[in-house]
Amino acid sequence: MTPLLAGAVFTARQACSDGQVKKKRGADMIVAANWKMNPALDQAAVLATALASQPFFEIKRILFVPHPYLVPMSVRLTGAPLQIGGQDCHFADHGAYTGDVSAGMLRDCGASTVLLGHSERRSAHGESSDLVAQKIKAALAQNLDVVLCVGETKAERDDKKAEQVVIDQLQASIPDNTPPTRLTIAYEPVWAIGTGAVASPDDIGAMHHIIASVLSERFGAGALPPILYGGSVNAENAGSIFAVPLVGGALVGGASLDADAFAAICTAAQLASRNEG
Ligand code: 13P
């Protein structure tokens, strides 16, 4: 195990205090929807049409849709200010991998980005950080941007291992030579996903400082990728989450399936973006 970074919190605060991180966050607020294995195609079409009509021009919105929906959603959202992404990809370009999808296939079906290392892939499909790193390399080679998920389980938090788990995931999942401009990190504590048990602003802030420290050691304090929070984000709590320093947006599961709830989260992000700008 890599030892906890001794100067981690200090480094992140330095990055904050010189204004670079705040400025970048204001310019790059992101609200990403992870639809997971939802909804039915006809409902997805209705949802996408509603999202396309919502006027959020000061933030970046990304929809991570089920792979079979990439083409119909890309067609439906042509010209709309929304990016489309896949929820996973294989590390290989092609081959005998039944049921898998390559990064190039995602790109050819309209994706500009891909979600990798989600805890549901890490737990239900046994994906290690080393495998995630291979997938990131494949995605970058196909000109896809990457949203990399990291986060600790409840047991790891209770054992006071949360910070070390996240540091290890970041260090092992991000390949050498990854351009920081192509990467976004989503901190998603596993115990907060789909449970309604959102992490406290203090816990989110502390972990975002740790993540910013790892990233600033890798990329430099002036080139930090955005760091999102995910886990039970909803219309009611989004504003307080976006008020936490270093939170550059949200990765939203359940609430992203409701156009009004998603719009409320986007409104909160837009307001936070203006306050920072
Ligand atoms: P919920 O917003 O439903 O908790 O899901 C979070 C998530 O897993 C997004 O990737």
Side-chain angles (χ1 to χ4, degrees), residues 34 36 115 118 120 188 192-195 230-233 251-255:
N34 179 6
K36 307 190 180 185
L115 189 64
H118 193 281
E120 287 153 13
E188 297 205 307
I193 294 176
T195 59
S232 296
V233 177
L251 179 57
V252 187

Side-chain angles (χ1 to χ4, degrees), residues 75-150:
V75 170
R76 186 168 284 270
L77 295 172
T78 302
L82 285 151
Q83 293 184 15
I84 309 276
Q87 296 177 7
D88 182 45
C89 71
H90 200 272
F91 63 82
D93 285 344
H94 53 80
Y97 301 105
T98 303
D100 280 315
V101 175
S102 73
M105 290 171 181
L106 296 182
R107 191 208 49 220
D108 290 348
C109 290
S112 60
T113 179
V114 61
L115 189 64
L116 292 172
H118 193 281
S119 64
E120 287 153 13
R121 302 283 323 170
R122 290 180 190 263
S123 61
H125 298 265
E127 294 194 0
S128 66
S129 291
D130 288 345
L131 178 64
V132 173
Q134 291 182 60
K135 292 181 176 207
I136 292 180
K137 273 190 206 164
L140 294 173
Q142 293 295 334
N143 285 323
L144 293 176
D145 289 342
V146 171
V147 176
L148 165 66
C149 300
V150 294

